[in-house]
Amino acid sequence: MRLGIVILFWVLTLNIYAQIPVDSAIALQEVTVMGNFEKQFLPGNGIIIPKEKTLTFYQSDNISEVLRQQSSIHIKEYGNGMLSTIAFRGTNASQTSVLWNNFNINSFTLGMTDFSLIPTQAIGEITIIPGSGSSTGGNGAFGGSVLLQNDVDFNAIPAIVLSQQVGSFGQYSTSINAKSSFDNWAFDTRLYWGKSDNDFEVLPTGQKQNNAYFERKGINQTIGYQIDNRSSLKAAIWYNDNFREIQPVISNNNNRIINNQEDKNFRSILNYEYADNSGKLSMGSGLFQDEMTYRQDHSISYLKVQRIESFADYKYYLSNQHQVKFSARHNYIQAQNESYQEGGGKEQRYNLGVQLKGEISEGIDYAVHLQQQLMNGVKIPLSPYLGFSYEMWRNQQHQIHIKANTSFNYRLPTLNDRYWNEVGNPVLNAETGWNKEISLTSQHQWDMLKLRSSVTAFHNQVENWIQWAPDSNNQWRPRNIKEVIAKGLEMNLSANFPLGNEVNIESGVQYSYIKSTVIQSEVNQNEVGKQLIYTPFHKGNGTISVGWRQFSLDTFHQLTGKVYTTNNNSETFALESFLISDLGIGWKSKPWQLAGRVKNIFNKEYQVYSGYAMPGRNYQLSIQYQINFNK
Amino acid sequence: MRFNLLNKSFFVLLAMIFIFSSCDDDEKTPSVTTNVMVFHEGGFTKNNATVASYNQESMEYEALAYNNANGSFIGDVQQSATQHNGKIYSVLNGSNSIQIFDSETMLSAGNITSERMDMPRYLAISGNTGYLSNWGPYDENYNLTDSNILKIDLQNNEVTEVIESGDYVENVFLQNDKLLVSRAKWDGSIKHLTVINTDSKQIIEDIELPVGPAEIISDDNGSIWVICTSGKLVKLNSDVTAIEETVDLGDGALEDIDLFENEIYFYQKSTSSVKKYIISSSSIMNVLSNVTLELPYALGVDPNSGEIYLADGVDYAGEGKVIRYSAEGEIIDEITESGVLPTQFIFN
């Protein structure tokens, strides 16, 4: 850890002579739609920005806790704090793309993101785009995209926020977040450290959970430099080190077992932007290294993936109403893995795209994309997107939009699929997905009551679905063998209103119904017509936050419907639906902030993944202190 | 990975049970199977192993018989089960434990755990002593270099001793003071039958067999037979010091075999058939043809009726199925969703 250097850096750039509280000097969890080009080119899609309350509540947790508060996202968790993968809109874990600062950070070996490796504290801004059409940064956005962003504010007033949290079963979490700007420079630093003994009581047995300790530490440093009025540079480095014991199944209480995993993710990027009246040029390059060491007994598996990814986008204003963007991207990937033929694999991926967006007439926005990815040996289709947004109604109090989009997308086979010893297939086809969706969104205001609602229907047909399955010699290998249709409805309603003069209420409910059905399968006829495993039909969320003077009361409720764990949809092995409620009380008076939280307040016994215990009622206390500086 | 423990002592025990029960109940004819327990591995690390109960007469199948009696799944990766003195000892490979339950009521009757228990496989019992084959931890390259046999005192359910056995231990079989252990590494480099003296706890023989030695049974004459999955049936000499006879089965065979009327039943995937080796005439005879199983996982022959039970794991990711045939080869019943990975039958 080069902690010393970072702190020194801070001390040098700050003028520490007074601690004058400045309002909103650091709105750490405040998010805005800016900085990411992708969102602006998707008029036909909905965009979810997690509420600040949610981010604050789960700030010492992984972003999986934030994501699962969104309706059609189901997070599969292999025990508490363990491997957490996403099922977004009824798709599988590798069919959601995760971008950081516009670079894909899904594991290139497994194709998916383990959200337990992304602490909320590390990220400045989280945006969720359900559905497709957001594959600019990579591939595989069938279910949706999770965009993570760390930005700088060139007007930031220097401040440091120190947070400490303690919780049940040996949870500790410390973070330091700092922001500053001077002259043409701007900085944002996030340092974090946390651990949990994680020896919670296993509710069905009354025993303590064994072998589930985890700890993490990391730094996310962003630096911005304004070269002149038109051009700027942004550099970011994110290093995350996560160690965990692998939580065994409920019935395995052997304390002698050695089973753990350490992940080290190093991510760095350098972006350059130039903007003038005619257009905007963005160029960037990133260097990424993911290392994973897995130990079982005396055996050690080690794998390393190194990547250099570069892009260049040029956006040109055709007129006041229309813009065109050309983009090119290159990704060089190099993997070291003993399980691969010749101990590793290398590949080059190229991507070219053109995007057009604009306003046809007042209130009607459109976007058209065309994208082609190229990779040796893999058949990848041209990927078009067409999206519209129509403002049906607008006055001071009410706005109603209708949005629609359709796109054809692809997901590349992973390095494991291509290079695994003896069974990997370098000429697998890309999965393809044809997505269609339509939504109606509205915003209303009656006096002090603010209401937002949306209803979305989607239909996503995925073909050439890649799955590892035993062949006739009982050898497991990846093949393009399935067709799946995921369709569903998402509904969203949120209301903010005051009660009297001093009480403010923020509330929201979300519900989604998703049917994700196997239409064809080359291997197993039993699963045809059945719901995909670990994909709940029903998912609901509810939240109420009450603010009164310096106090706040937040509750989060998450209802996850029954999931099947076998592909024949056996009721016998299905996991029951569960409702988890979390509650927190906070007190805030600059520069202090205190909070107490109760998670799983009803002490519900539940399993997210078959066989793995999850904790019952547990507690957290957090304290936060903000130091403000004058510029 | 599968094993059916219908050894001689069990037959004797069965016979005794029926003799005694027939004294109380005149209507019940002895030597009739009423209940078949179907053991299921469950999904790997899913902690959903099941024990089903099948009533031969009413043909009712209770998939969750153990759960219904005890309120939970039995554990993770049920590797094998051994019946002894009215109790079932279920060896749970993923849970690193043995669960004990009453074979009639199915109510739990304790469990056996030990820090030494690491990926346990099969259990053989004599009197109050159990011998458990135990894989032990992996070495640096995922090899097994620390396998052993755990000796268990079944009166207090404690592991009392660790017996050296060589690595990759699989099936275990007790014959008087000899413990026979088949050992098989997946690449075929280890293919042994190791004989341990239960008094001295020393290895007294280590016989090399054809590739894939698995289940060990004894025939009506007390001779020991070992199925080798590469497609050989091996008979050991009476002292268990050397191979006496090797029967070529023509092609690979399921590691699960069963003895009925002194004939050895086995399943062959390549020919989609159940065959039997007739010991008296040293010949192989076809019993069932066109039995296509996607993932053959277990074979059982009802010791009373000669009915044949086959288990198909189907595809690991879903439920398996169980097919019951008459001794003549007619399908009597088929349970299409029996549980995940049906792996063993016990007839009572």
Side-chain angles (χ1 to χ4, degrees):
Chain A
M1 271 298 141
R2 291 168 197 84
L3 180 62
I5 299 172
V6 174
I7 290 175
L8 186 68
F9 207 56
W10 271 100
V11 171
L12 291 174
T13 61
L14 296 173
N15 215 345
I16 311 177
Y17 62 82
Q19 290 187 14
I20 302 162
V22 182
D23 273 336
S24 68
I26 284 193
L28 278 171
Q29 276 79 30
E30 200 73 57
V31 286
T32 48
V33 187
M34 57 184 287
N36 197 306
F37 342 105
E38 287 214 34
K39 305 167 204 169
Q40 303 168 15
F41 273 84
L42 295 166
N45 290 65
I47 289 174
I48 301 170
I49 297 162
K51 287 181 181 171
E52 191 193 333
K53 296 266 187 200
T54 314
L55 293 162
T56 308
F57 195 92
Y58 296 106
Q59 63 170 338
S60 301
D61 298 304
N62 300 316
I63 66 163
S64 50
E65 295 292 328
V66 176
L67 298 177
R68 68 156 52 105
Q69 298 300 329
Q70 318 305 326
S71 70
S72 59
I73 294 181
H74 175 57
I75 301 278
K76 260 201 290 180
E77 204 175 355
Y78 294 67
N80 190 40
M82 301 291 128
L83 173 66
S84 302
T85 62
I86 193 167
F88 197 165
R89 279 192 172 175
T91 59
N92 76 21
S94 44
Q95 292 166 344
T96 290
S97 77
V98 181
L99 308 183
W100 175 63
N101 286 332
N102 225 13
F103 289 88
N104 195 321
I105 58 164
N106 273 6
S107 154
F108 278 68
T109 49
L110 273 174
M112 58 186 72
T113 290
D114 177 358
F115 285 97
S116 72
L117 303 180
I118 304 181
T120 310
Q121 291 156 340
I123 304 301
E125 176 185 327
I126 301 171
T127 312
I128 301 157
I129 302 180
S132 308
S134 39
S135 48
T136 310
N139 74 90
F142 291 171
S145 302
V146 177
L147 311 181
L148 311 173
Q149 194 84 359
N150 284 91
D151 264 324
V152 287
D153 177 0
F154 285 101
N155 299 312
I157 292 162
I160 297 177
V161 176
L162 307 168
S163 306
Q164 176 65 49
Q165 177 167 298
V166 293
S168 305
F169 34 87
Q171 295 178 63
Y172 289 93
S173 170
T174 307
S175 74
I176 304 172
N177 295 355
K179 259 187 184 183
S180 169
S181 65
F182 73 99
D183 295 338
N184 297 331
W185 295 87
F187 305 90
D188 183 285
T189 306
R190 288 151 192 275
L191 267 169
Y192 53 91
W193 176 85
K195 69 118 187 157
S196 173
D197 294 333
N198 216 11
D199 53 350
F200 58 89
E201 183 191 338
V202 178
L203 294 176
T205 63
Q207 289 177 309
K208 286 208 161 188
Q209 180 62 53
N210 55 320
N211 203 63
Y213 172 87
F214 62 83
E215 66 175 50
R216 60 161 171 253
K217 49 187 181 280
I219 177 170
N220 199 329
Q221 174 67 55
T222 310
I223 301 171
Y225 178 67
Q226 194 89 44
I227 301 167
D228 53 38
N229 282 341
R230 292 177 165 173
S231 52
S232 64
L233 278 173
K234 175 174 133 182
I237 290 175
W238 179 13
Y239 177 75
N240 186 62
D241 184 329
N242 190 93
F243 169 85
R244 65 163 159 249
E245 296 176 333
I246 309 286
Q247 181 179 328
V249 291
I250 289 173
S251 62
N252 187 350
N253 290 309
N254 193 333
N255 286 313
R256 208 181 68 138
I257 50 173
I258 302 169
N259 195 6
N260 58 55
Q261 177 182 331
E262 186 163 19
D263 286 88
K264 292 178 179 177
N265 306 105
F266 174 82
R267 303 173 176 116
S268 62
I269 58 138
L270 181 65
N271 282 7
Y272 168 78
E273 277 185 16
Y274 174 89
D276 62 19
N277 292 335
S278 66
K280 183 176 170 186
L281 173 72
S282 308
M283 288 164 63
S285 209
L287 184 73
F288 303 85
Q289 177 173 294
D290 298 319
E291 285 175 284
M292 202 259 278
T293 309
Y294 178 84
R295 296 180 197 83
Q296 187 177 7
D297 302 330
H298 306 294
S299 74
I300 297 174
S301 309
Y302 172 78
L303 64 90
K304 180 160 84 175
V305 178
Q306 293 167 310
R307 294 191 295 126
I308 300 173
E309 188 172 349
S310 307
F311 74 93
D313 288 342
Y314 182 65
K315 187 164 74 177
Y316 179 70
Y317 303 112
L318 296 165
S319 68
N320 282 341
Q321 281 79 36
H322 304 277
Q323 319 175 359
V324 64
K325 188 171 89 177
F326 300 96
S327 56
R329 195 172 270 268
H330 172 253
N331 200 347
Y332 171 75
I333 307 152
Q334 178 180 304
Q336 178 192 332
N337 187 337
E338 283 165 18
S339 302
Y340 289 180
Q341 267 149 34
E342 293 160 26
K346 278 181 193 172
E347 63 188 41
Q348 310 254 8
R349 298 178 181 180
Y350 303 88
N351 200 342
L352 289 171
V354 56
Q355 306 187 350
L356 195 64
K357 78 149 192 172
E359 196 178 64
I360 297 171
S361 68
E362 176 130 359
I364 304 179
D365 291 324
Y366 76 96
V368 185
H369 309 175
L370 267 186
Q371 197 195 159
Q372 178 69 59
Q373 176 126 21
L374 300 166
M375 190 162 103
N376 202 12
V378 180
K379 204 168 101 189
I380 307 167
L382 187 70
S383 175
Y385 167 90
L386 190 63
F388 285 98
S389 163
Y390 171 52
E391 196 174 66
M392 295 166 72
W393 184 270
R394 183 189 192 100
N395 65 22
Q396 291 231 303
Q397 282 87 39
H398 308 286
Q399 292 165 39
I400 302 174
H401 277 89
I402 186 160
K403 293 178 173 189
N405 75 76
T406 182
S407 61
F408 195 71
N409 307 282
Y410 62 92
R411 185 180 78 84
L412 302 176
T414 64
L415 296 177
N416 285 0
D417 294 337
R418 281 162 65 88
Y419 299 112
W420 201 267
N421 229 339
E422 290 172 11
V423 298
N425 183 358
V427 293
L428 276 174
N429 292 330
E431 292 179 350
T432 57
W434 182 25
N435 184 63
K436 291 162 275 187
E437 72 176 89
I438 185 162
S439 61
L440 192 68
T441 64
S442 71
Q443 291 179 44
H444 309 274
Q445 184 158 9
W446 289 281
D447 289 332
M448 301 299 278
L449 170 66
K450 285 182 193 161
L451 206 65
R452 280 166 176 268
S453 76
S454 72
V455 181
T456 305
F458 67 89
H459 183 282
N460 198 348
Q461 181 176 11
V462 183
E463 293 182 341
N464 276 329
W465 185 291
I466 298 170
Q467 185 176 312
W468 286 62
D471 64 14
S472 53
N473 298 321
N474 217 14
Q475 175 79 274
W476 290 74
R477 55 176 76 237
R479 284 184 282 160
N480 296 99
I481 47 173
K482 267 202 308 216
E483 180 187 337
V484 174
I485 289 181
K487 56 188 174 186
L489 272 178
E490 295 167 338
M491 281 166 265
N492 219 322
L493 185 66
S494 69
N496 296 352
F497 55 93
L499 270 185
N501 291 331
E502 288 188 323
V503 177
N504 192 51
I505 298 200
E506 287 179 35
S507 63
V509 283
Q510 300 163 332
Y511 168 76
S512 70
Y513 175 80
I514 290 167
K515 205 164 178 307
S516 194
T517 317
V518 179
I519 302 299
Q520 278 182 36
S521 170
E522 273 178 42
V523 270
N524 189 350
Q525 294 316 303
N526 291 349
E527 62 177 331
V528 172
K530 302 282 170 42
Q531 179 86 345
L532 287 185
I533 59 169
Y534 292 105
T535 309
F537 287 110
H538 305 280
K539 172 85 203 295
N541 290 93
T543 164
I544 301 174
S545 295
V546 182
W548 176 69
R549 296 183 182 170
Q550 284 97 5
F551 296 93
S552 64
L553 177 79
D554 301 299
T555 60
F556 295 88
H557 310 274
Q558 178 211 323
L559 175 75
T560 303
K562 175 177 74 182
V563 298
Y564 294 115
T565 67
T566 55
N567 61 13
N568 63 330
N569 285 186
S570 162
E571 298 293 336
T572 308
F573 300 100
L575 301 180
E576 286 172 36
S577 69
F578 56 85
L579 174 72
I580 299 297
S581 297
D582 299 338
L583 181 140
I585 297 172
W587 173 82
K588 195 172 171 176
S589 177
K590 291 268 164 76
W592 294 96
Q593 211 169 303
L594 299 174
R597 301 182 190 108
V598 188
K599 297 222 173 137
N600 191 2
I601 193 163
F602 301 118
N603 205 31
K604 176 77 185 167
E605 179 189 325
Y606 68 108
Q607 288 179 22
V608 187
Y609 191 83
S610 176
Y612 293 89
M614 295 298 284
R617 189 183 302 117
N618 65 94
Y619 307 90
Q620 293 177 345
L621 271 176
S622 80
I623 180 165
Q624 189 169 305
Y625 182 72
Q626 180 167 328
I627 311 167
N628 290 296
F629 305 90
N630 236 2
K631 269 185 111 168
Chain B
M1 292 164 81
R2 299 152 286 277
F3 176 52
N4 200 338
L5 204 126
L6 290 174
N7 61 40
K8 196 181 172 187
S9 57
F10 167 58
F11 278 41
V12 171
L13 178 76
L14 247 184
M16 285 169 65
I17 291 169
F18 282 117
I19 289 161
F20 287 122
S21 62
S22 66
C23 300
D24 306 331
D25 186 352
D26 290 336
E27 279 178 15
K28 197 169 177 181
T29 44
S31 301
V32 168
T33 301
T34 51
N35 182 272
V36 184
M37 269 188 248
V38 189
F39 295 82
H40 292 78
E41 264 183 30
F44 180 68
T45 72
K46 287 191 173 178
N47 206 55
N48 60 7
T50 52
V51 184
S53 173
Y54 177 67
N55 185 314
Q56 275 202 339
E57 208 173 353
S58 67
M59 306 217 285
E60 275 169 57
Y61 186 84
E62 190 186 358
L64 291 178
Y66 182 89
N67 295 51
N68 294 341
N70 298 285
S72 68
F73 289 110
I74 192 163
D76 190 44
V77 190
Q78 186 168 227
Q79 181 65 39
S80 65
T82 303
Q83 184 164 251
H84 183 75
N85 278 349
K87 283 179 187 160
I88 300 286
Y89 293 78
S90 158
V91 180
L92 296 153
N93 183 270
S95 310
N96 288 325
S97 69
I98 296 173
Q99 279 292 334
I100 308 164
F101 64 90
D102 187 282
S103 56
E104 224 162 273
T105 63
M106 300 201 101
L107 288 168
S108 175
N111 70 333
I112 306 171
T113 57
S114 158
E115 300 262 299
R116 294 303 305 247
M117 214 182 279
D118 195 343
M119 297 187 278
R121 306 289 292 173
Y122 297 91
L123 177 70
I125 300 174
S126 167
N128 285 320
T129 309
Y131 296 91
L132 177 73
S133 57
N134 189 46
W135 268 9
Y138 292 115
D139 79 347
E140 292 79 2
N141 302 308
Y142 277 98
N143 292 314
L144 298 175
T145 54
D146 196 11
S147 302
N148 46 44
I149 300 291
L150 300 182
K151 187 177 172 185
I152 300 167
D153 180 347
L154 298 179
Q155 282 177 306
N156 55 19
N157 292 334
E158 277 178 14
V159 172
T160 54
E161 223 166 320
V162 179
I163 302 171
E164 292 303 318
S165 59
D167 298 315
Y168 293 90
V169 290
E170 291 292 342
N171 295 73
V172 283
F173 187 88
L174 276 164
Q175 193 191 43
N176 307 321
D177 61 349
K178 287 184 183 127
L179 177 71
L180 316 185
V181 185
S182 60
R183 300 192 295 121
K185 190 176 174 182
W186 30 84
D187 64 3
S189 62
I190 293 176
K191 40 178 181 175
H192 289 76
L193 184 76
T194 302
V195 184
I196 295 166
N197 182 303
T198 52
D199 296 327
S200 68
K201 284 114 197 168
Q202 296 299 312
I203 296 173
I204 48 176
E205 295 294 342
D206 197 25
I207 307 161
E208 190 170 326
L209 301 187
V211 170
E215 185 168 3
I216 308 162
I217 61 171
S218 80
D219 67 17
D220 290 352
N221 307 317
S223 297
I224 298 293
W225 294 83
V226 183
I227 181 75
C228 298
T229 52
S230 56
K232 303 278 192 287
L233 190 56
V234 173
K235 184 186 179 187
L236 281 303
N237 63 3
S238 58
D239 300 337
V240 200
T241 53
I243 296 175
E244 187 177 294
E245 184 186 340
T246 301
V247 180
D248 188 353
L249 305 178
D251 211 337
L254 185 64
E255 59 229 60
D256 206 351
I257 55 174
D258 235 342
L259 186 82
F260 180 70
E261 292 180 347
N262 216 28
E263 295 166 344
I264 299 169
Y265 286 67
F266 59 95
Y267 178 83
Q268 220 161 26
K269 195 185 182 192
S270 60
T271 57
S272 301
S273 59
V274 174
K275 296 177 180 173
K276 61 183 177 186
Y277 177 70
I278 303 165
I279 297 171
S280 57
S281 64
S282 300
S283 60
I284 294 172
M285 201 177 126
N286 217 42
V287 181
L288 298 174
S289 302
N290 300 319
V291 188
T292 309
L293 304 179
E294 288 175 65
L295 181 64
Y297 227 64
L299 165 89
V301 181
D302 184 334
N304 298 310
S305 64
E307 288 183 354
I308 299 157
Y309 285 72
L310 285 171
D312 187 348
V314 184
D315 71 342
Y316 297 97
E319 283 188 84
K321 73 179 177 195
V322 170
I323 315 167
R324 172 187 174 194
Y325 295 88
S326 71
E328 291 73 38
E330 300 296 317
I331 292 185
I332 299 175
D333 198 4
E334 185 170 339
I335 295 117
T336 49
E337 295 185 347
S338 73
V340 178
L341 294 176
T343 186
Q344 188 181 332
F345 302 99
I346 286 183
F347 300 89
N348 277 327

